[in-house]
Amino acid sequence: MKTIKSYKLLAAALSAVLAITMLSACGGNGNGGDSAAKQNGDSSASSGGVKELSLFIDAPWYPVKEWKGPVAEKITEKTGVKLNVTVATDDKQLPLMIASGDLPDLVFTYANIDRLSDSKLSYPWNELIEKYAPDFKIDKTRIAIHTMDDGNFYTVRNSFATQEEMAQNKYSIGSDGHPGIAVREDILKELGNPPIQSLNDFVKVLGMVKQKHPEMVPLVLDKEWVEQYFMQQFGTEALIDGWYERDGKIDYAIRQPKMLEYFKFMNSLYRNGYILAENFAFANDQIDDQYVTSGKAFAHGYTVSAAEADNNKIKSNGGAFTLKMLPSALSKDAKAVSTGLGFAGTFITKKNKDPEASIKFIQYLASDEGKKLTMFGVEGEHWTWNEAGYPNLKYDPSDADFVNGNGIKWWYLYNDGVTEGMLSYVPGAQKTQALMETKAITTYKPAIGLIQTQPDSKEKTLKTKIDEMIKNEKVKIYLAKSEEEAVANYENMVKTAENMGLQELVDWANETYQKKKSLFE
C-alpha cells in the first residue's frame, strides 16, 4: 500500500496527466481527431439515442466513481456514449474477472496491460480502427510501443510523449515525478550566500552548515528519492535496478561506468556526517518532511516540488523560514533518460456490446477537442487558452473537491504526455523552473522501456532475486567506513549478481531490445 505522500505524488502526477491531455489537444498532434469529434457528434445526434457501456477502472484509489458532472455530460453529448463505471475494490479484482471471463465493455488499467493485450480477451485497436474509424490516426511510435508479438496493439497508454513532441512544445515541461533538492534560504544568507552551481559547491555548503549548526542534519532524503538526484548529476542513465543502453547494447544498471563514482560520492556524504545512517532505513516517507518542517535539516532531497511543498507546510505550522530549489543540473555530466511508456490504457474487451461505438469514443477522447475537455473542463466555463501555448485555468487544479466534483481530469482514458507536461507550466514557480532545467538534460529512449520480464518467467524470477540482493548490499556501500571499503563492497555486489546469473539476464534483455528496437525503425 502506498504511503500518504507517495499516494499524493501519484495522484498529483495523474492529475497533471489528465489536465494536460486536454491541453495537448490545443497544441494539435495531427491525429485526425477534430474530424472525428465532428463526426461523432453528428452521428450521435442523428441516431438520437445514448449508448451505455460498462467501464471497469483497475485502480482502487481512483477518486471519481460515477459518470457525472459537466465533463462527462459534454463527452456524452459529443460521442453519444455514457459509461456505467465500476472502480476496483482491490488489485486482485481484475485478475479474478479475467480468470472467470466476467469482463465489462471497457477496462482501464495500468497493472494488467500485458495480460489484457490478448486477442482472446480484447479487440485489437488496429482492427477496429481499420473497420470503423479509418481516419483515427495514431503515430508510429505509440503503435510500436504497444504492438504485441501477434502484431496487434490493444491499447495506447496515456501520459506518453516522444522527445520530438516535447521539444516542439515549449510549455510542456513534465510532471512532479522528477528529483530535486531544496535548501533553506535563511541559512544560506547566514553563510554569506555561497554559490551552489556544482556538486563541489553543494558539498562545501553542507560542510559549512555542519560546522556552524552541528545540531542540524545537513541533508535529509525522502526514502523513495535517495538516489535519483545524485545519479542524475553523475550521468548514470538508469536507476540501480534498471537497464541502460551503450553503443546499441543493453546492460544492467549496476555495471554502468559511472555507477561506482556515484556510490563513492554518496559514501563520502555519509562519512563526512552530511547524511544520517538511519536515512537509509526510514520507516516511512514522512520522516524526512518532519526533519525539514521542524527546522532540523538544511537540505531536503525529494522531487522538483520539494521547495514549494515544504514552504506550504512550514507556513501552515507557523514557521518563518523558506526553502529554494537547487539547479536540476549541478554537473556538466548531468543527464536524465526517460524510458517511460506512459501510464494506463483502455481496452475494448471481447465482451463489448458495441466495438464500433467504443473505438469512436476513444477516437474522440484522442482528438484535440476531446483532450482539452477531459483535462481542463468545459472551455469558457473552466478555462481559456493562452495564445502563448498553455491553459489559463479558472480554478485551482489542486482543489480536489472542485476538480472531482466537476468530473475534470479523471476521464483520461486516452491522453498524451505533452498535454500533461503543460499543466505544470506556472510562470514564476520554482517547480516550473526545475522542470524546465530537467527537460533540457532529458533524452527519451522508450525502446528500453519495452524490456519487461513477464509474470512467472525465469527472467522475472532471476531479476527479482538479483534486485533483492542489490537492495540489501547497496546499503553496505553507502555506510562503508572508508572509500576503499565502499569500492570493495560495490565490486562484491556486482560479482555476486554475476554469480547469480546476471549475464544470462543481460543476454535475454539484449535479445528482447534488438527485437523491440526494430519496431521503431
Side-chain angles (χ1 to χ4, degrees), residues 28-42:
N29 61 0
N31 64 0
D34 287 328
S35 62
K38 183 176 181 181
Q39 179 186 33
N40 283 345
D42 292 345

Side-chain angles (χ1 to χ4, degrees), residues 22 43 70 122 138 196 207 254 289 293 318 323 355 367 397 467 469 480 489:
M22 306 203 73
S43 64
S122 308
I138 300 175
I196 303 179
I254 58 170
D289 292 355
T293 57
L323 288 86
S367 70
D467 290 346
M469 180 276 295
N489 289 345

